[in-house]
Amino acid sequence: MTDRRVRRGAAALAAALLATGCGGGSTTESSTPKDANVFTNPVVKTDAPDPQAIRVGDTWYLFHTNAGGRNVPVLTSPDLVEWTPAGDALPELPDWADAGKTWAPEAIQLAPDRFVLYYTVADRASGRQCLGRAVASTPLGPYADDSDKPLVCQPDLGGSIDASPFRDTDGSLWLLWKNDGNAIGVDTWLWSQRLSPDGLTLTGPATKLLRQTEPWEGTLIEGPFFHRHDGKLFLFFAANAYDKDTYAEGYAVCEGPTGPCVKAPENPILKSNDVATGPGHASIVEQDGRTWLLYHAWPPGQEGTTDPGRQIWLNELTWTNGTPSVRGPLREVQR
């Protein structure tokens, strides 16, 4: 660990945000052990856009958009703070895809020896970004995609990007994504569709959930993912131009995986400040009863660069009377 991150100890998670105080009789679900270790952001200082992580056993596996010559870079960590590069989770692309634009991968574990990775890639036939799926027996991979065409591709709507799998409490599997409308000047919708139990095919109709409607969102919303808390289904999403300081993170509350969904009036809940800009395309990780927002952000004034690029930040997401909030981006020492 570098001198910016104080040494980690035996605790499985060496990370926690100091709880924010709330008055008026509200309750905030957070507790920080007195012996917790501390850290400072960013937890990954190199270019690692669109992060998503899953825990298998005692190890966290993080996947992000292509960088460093890898289609799907994967990193491992025991604690969400100290990350070690672990190769390319998807070293070979299917025959229908071209390399160079493999974006926003997300993995889900469906059985002890079955993992499915959903990813955005350049579809040769349509010339658009489309969605693929690949399977592995271990979280590190290598994942293999044996398909002969994309899982989802909406060329007339600009293409399809930012796939996110979700297993609901009833066991059903769902896939979220965005049509890449801003690529052709049309609306960007967040979509939901049910997945087959093996995670490889879509069933039933696709449903439109949300599109860009608010001033802070600019011309697009993207990077969707579902998260249930106390039975309520939350849809988190990023909005605005990814390479600008106006990029930010918000959420909506949905009646179910097919909606309807209502955006939160307090959006955005994570936006630029003096330590990091353009925070967004987040994912959620949970440990020891606490919820964490894992997201990328630029160093101020370096939006759109690749060195250091979009670094990975970690802040606690607290729940006050069932409403999520995050104090961040936060660079000060956290526990």
Side-chain angles (χ1 to χ4, degrees):
M1 185 179 290
T2 68
D3 58 358
R4 290 190 60 86
R5 300 181 200 143
V6 183
R7 61 187 178 279
R8 66 171 197 267
L13 175 63
L17 174 63
L18 292 170
T20 56
C22 296
S26 62
T27 58
T28 299
E29 300 170 23
S30 177
S31 59
T32 301
K34 293 181 180 179
D35 60 349
N37 294 317
V38 296
F39 75 100
T40 57
N41 274 314
V43 294
V44 176
K45 296 183 179 182
T46 54
D47 191 35
D50 312 324
Q52 186 252 1
I54 60 172
R55 185 181 181 185
V56 182
D58 293 329
T59 302
W60 287 96
Y61 299 84
L62 184 148
F63 309 88
H64 66 79
T65 283
N66 59 264
R70 295 182 173 92
N71 293 320
V72 176
V74 57
L75 297 82
T76 61
S77 173
D79 55 20
L80 290 173
V81 172
E82 190 169 340
W83 292 95
T84 301
D88 191 341
L90 188 67
E92 300 293 334
L93 297 177
D95 290 342
W96 52 265
D98 289 327
K101 294 196 294 183
T102 308
W103 301 343
E106 295 200 12
I108 188 170
Q109 183 175 10
L110 299 183
D113 61 349
R114 182 178 177 80
F115 300 82
V116 182
L117 181 79
Y118 300 90
Y119 63 99
T120 304
V121 70
D123 172 46
R124 190 176 304 116
S126 68
R128 296 293 180 189
Q129 292 290 93
C130 300
L131 303 178
R133 86 294 185 274
V135 179
S137 59
T138 70
L140 274 180
Y143 290 80
D145 188 338
D146 62 359
S147 64
D148 57 8
K149 62 181 180 179
L151 175 65
V152 181
C153 196
Q154 299 165 297
D156 292 343
L157 298 177
S160 306
I161 69 172
D162 296 351
S164 180
F166 172 70
R167 188 197 294 275
D168 208 349
T169 49
D170 63 0
S172 60
L173 289 174
W174 299 84
L175 192 70
L176 286 166
W177 73 90
K178 164 208 172 183
N179 74 276
D180 201 19
N182 53 288
I184 61 171
V186 302
D187 284 338
T188 61
W189 283 93
L190 304 184
W191 299 72
S192 172
Q193 191 169 358
R194 190 161 182 166
L195 283 162
S196 59
D198 65 4
L200 299 184
T201 58
L202 291 161
T203 64
T207 302
K208 291 179 177 179
L209 298 179
L210 295 175
R211 67 176 179 87
Q212 79 286 351
T213 57
E214 307 305 313
W216 74 272
E217 297 167 349
T219 61
L220 66 99
I221 59 175
E222 62 184 17
F225 69 91
F226 278 140
H227 178 78
R228 276 203 184 271
H229 180 80
D230 284 347
K232 187 183 293 186
L233 184 62
F234 294 84
L235 171 58
F236 290 83
F237 60 91
N240 222 298
Y242 81 95
D243 57 350
K244 306 295 183 183
D245 62 6
T246 47
Y247 199 65
E249 189 80 12
Y251 77 94
V253 178
C254 303
E255 290 188 12
T258 59
C261 302
V262 178
K263 294 176 182 177
E266 65 269 24
N267 283 340
I269 61 168
L270 181 69
K271 60 185 179 180
S272 297
N273 60 18
D274 60 351
V275 298
T277 63
H281 204 120
S283 60
I284 276 181
V285 290
E286 292 185 301
Q287 188 158 278
D288 299 331
R290 305 172 73 179
T291 309
W292 303 86
L293 202 65
L294 195 69
Y295 61 94
H296 71 232
W298 308 93
Q302 298 185 52
E303 299 85 2
T305 66
T306 56
D307 185 13
R310 285 169 282 179
Q311 302 168 310
I312 296 180
W313 290 60
L314 180 70
N315 285 126
E316 188 178 9
L317 190 75
T318 57
W319 302 90
T320 303
N321 296 332
T323 298
S325 62
V326 57
R327 182 176 164 228
L330 189 67
R331 191 159 202 159
E332 66 192 54
V333 172
Q334 302 175 76
R335 66 172 64 222

